[in-house]
Amino acid sequence: MLGLEKKLMKEWEGKSAQEIADAPVTAIAGVTEADAEKLAAAFGIKTVRDLGTNKYFRWAQGLVALAD
């Protein structure tokens, strides 16, 4: 799937984009349970979709894109 396999935990490799979007953030390689708990507490983020659509992260991405 678009070369994203190395960015996912093994059990999520080969899943559809929709399945991964609805997966817990721990589906992303390197995101631990402790990280997931902090994201949930701070921003209400529980899924990959939540992370990707979080307004603060999107604002930051936009600002960085403008800066680069």
Side-chain angles (χ1 to χ4, degrees), residues 3-67:
L4 296 176
E5 291 83 7
K6 293 184 179 176
K7 293 172 178 55
L8 300 171
M9 298 299 290
K10 273 273 194 237
E11 61 267 27
W12 292 97
E13 290 179 10
K15 302 280 185 180
S16 71
Q18 290 78 15
E19 290 173 297
I20 295 166
D22 294 330
V25 291
T26 54
I28 299 172
V31 178
T32 67
E33 287 292 335
D35 296 332
E37 289 172 12
K38 290 174 185 164
L39 286 167
F43 300 105
I45 293 171
K46 296 179 182 172
T47 67
V48 173
R49 185 183 310 278
D50 294 340
L51 182 63
T53 59
N54 178 274
K55 67 181 179 182
Y56 302 110
F57 291 98
R58 293 181 72 152
W59 293 346
Q61 288 175 336
L63 289 166
V64 170
L66 289 171

